[in-house]
Amino acid sequence: MIARVLMAAARVQFKSETRLAGVMAGVVQPAVFMAITLLASGPAAAGTRTAIGCGLLGLWGATVWRFGLVLRQERQRGILPGIVSRPAGLVVVLIGKSLGAVLRSAALTVLTVGVVAAVAGHPVGIAAPVVFTLTALATLISATSLGLLLCSVFLLARSAVRIAETLIYPVFILGGLFVPTALLPGWAQQLSTLISLRWAGELLLDAASGRGQQLGDWLLLVATSAGYAVGAVVGLRAVLRRIRAEGTLELV
């Protein structure tokens, strides 16, 4: 039953996604990030690190705007009570919705980054495609756990959109997506250890370059992702507890 619920939720979310939103998250934003980097640093910047960084930028944007706000949007549409009352549970439905909300944007982002890098004369090469694919899957799992956490935070917060806007750019910097973490001040480097995208980026770059991946990077990716998952469970329980206490989803 769980598999059917996952696929049904993914299908419904995919159909509800507007084409414009998908194009913005998966095409326009990554292309703009690549263009800014090329204009600032020249064609030499169009290497594998830049491509991976811009790809992760697109994934982070989709996680925040397409997945993080999904529960809030469902409440506005008046269908959140039906989701909460499903026998499979809220988390299963949410994971299915994440597949519909994020995977299309992720696929478009990969395609966009690859095309822009090729046009710039520096096509992205993957030295270890199997390891890279497995790492990419782990990155998507990490993004899903973070998206679940954001869902609960955004639903409980009154100014969810403002919080989303505030989160976007610090993660760009602390995650090493725009600026190498080695160039950040010491306190910022310590904060960056809490960003799973930093470790995902290092692992993806190692796989693309054919270097051996560091066990420490894998441990930190797993640890940060697990931390997001625990936070998501606590947040979603708080949502359900408040729903039961108040007797209505409108007061969440």
Side-chain angles (χ1 to χ4, degrees), residues 20-225:
L20 179 59
V23 170
M24 285 295 296
V27 178
V28 176
Q29 289 181 349
V32 169
F33 292 142
M34 287 285 287
I36 291 173
T37 304
L38 290 174
L39 289 173
S41 304
T48 302
R49 177 177 289 276
T50 299
I52 290 175
C54 289
L56 291 174
L57 285 171
L59 177 61
W60 170 236
T63 300
V64 172
W65 295 112
R66 307 310 320 142
F67 183 22
L69 293 170
V70 69
L71 277 184
R72 195 173 182 87
Q73 293 168 350
E74 301 297 43
R75 186 179 66 179
Q76 293 170 350
R77 295 169 182 167
I79 58 179
L80 184 55
I83 295 175
V84 172
S85 62
R86 290 291 183 271
L90 180 59
V91 173
V92 175
V93 175
L94 269 179
I95 293 174
K97 282 184 167 292
S98 76
L99 296 176
V102 174
L103 286 183
R104 180 171 65 175
S105 294
L108 288 173
T109 297
V110 171
L111 179 61
T112 300
V113 168
V115 169
V116 173
V119 170
H122 294 269
V124 179
I126 307 298
V130 175
V131 177
F132 187 90
T133 300
L134 293 174
T135 306
L137 289 175
T139 302
L140 286 175
I141 292 173
S142 178
T144 299
S145 65
L146 180 54
L148 288 171
L149 174 60
L150 293 177
C151 274
S152 60
V153 171
F154 290 165
L155 187 62
L156 290 169
R158 294 184 179 276
S159 55
V161 175
R162 302 287 83 82
I163 296 175
E165 292 172 347
T166 304
L167 284 175
I168 284 288
Y169 296 102
V171 172
F172 284 1
I173 298 172
L174 293 176
L177 308 184
F178 256 160
V179 180
T181 54
L183 300 180
L184 298 176
W187 62 268
Q189 291 186 36
Q190 292 178 357
L191 284 177
S192 73
T193 60
L194 303 176
I195 309 297
S196 65
L197 292 181
R198 171 187 174 178
W199 310 113
E202 294 295 337
L203 291 167
L204 288 169
L205 182 61
D206 288 341
S209 304
R211 298 194 300 265
Q213 294 179 322
Q214 300 298 312
L215 177 60
D217 292 345
W218 269 111
L219 292 176
L220 286 165
L221 175 61
V222 171
T224 51
S225 302

